[in-house]
Amino acid sequence: MTKHRIYSISVASVYPHYITKAEKKGRTKAEVDEIFRWLTGYSQKALEAELAKGTNFEDFFAKAPALHPARSLITGVICGIRVENIEEPLMRELRYLDKLIDELARGRKMEKILRG
């Protein structure tokens, strides 16, 4: 089976779009970074280093220090697909990230976004 092309795209090339989406709705880059750190376990410094290196999504998630155990509580529809029903693990991680950014842009409180 061939890999989805999103896996080879650098996180840094999509990251500004996440920031723009959040800022258009009155949220901040710091909140986007908090979501990235919560989901993956990267420190701010490590996150910035991965962005600077141009790490692709496949490697970004494969090298994530500690994928958050509560990420399985993320449910709902993103891109017309229920995230909890996605079988391919890497695609599910990507959709978790998309869903969290979407919740941020929709004005949800950060403690709820981070399943606190």
Side-chain angles (χ1 to χ4, degrees):
M1 184 171 123
T2 59
K3 293 181 183 179
H4 196 286
R5 74 180 189 94
I6 188 71
Y7 300 165
S8 62
I9 294 175
S10 74
V11 178
S13 68
V14 179
Y15 180 77
H17 299 287
Y18 289 137
I19 302 294
T20 300
K21 182 175 185 173
E23 288 178 343
K24 279 184 179 178
K25 300 293 184 164
R27 304 307 286 260
T28 65
K29 175 187 177 297
E31 290 173 307
V32 172
D33 287 352
E34 185 177 353
I35 287 170
F36 267 85
R37 291 191 316 266
W38 177 87
L39 183 62
T40 62
Y42 283 107
S43 67
Q44 185 64 34
K45 187 175 182 177
L47 172 61
E48 290 169 3
E50 293 300 321
L51 293 171
K53 283 193 289 189
T55 304
N56 65 36
F57 276 105
E58 184 173 25
D59 293 339
F60 182 78
F61 282 105
K63 295 190 295 185
L67 292 171
H68 201 287
R71 72 191 188 288
S72 62
L73 299 175
I74 301 167
T75 59
V77 177
I78 191 79
C79 300
I81 299 169
R82 295 204 69 78
V83 292
E84 61 270 26
N85 294 340
I86 298 172
E87 292 184 19
E88 205 286 306
L90 180 55
M91 183 59 76
R92 189 172 47 246
E93 299 302 336
L94 282 162
R95 295 304 180 202
Y96 283 157
L97 178 59
D98 290 343
K99 181 68 176 164
L100 294 174
I101 298 297
D102 192 53
E103 290 176 0
L104 179 69
R106 290 178 187 258
R108 195 165 190 201
K109 292 181 180 182
M110 190 57 98
E111 58 269 11
K112 290 192 177 207
I113 293 171
L114 302 182
R115 307 312 191 250

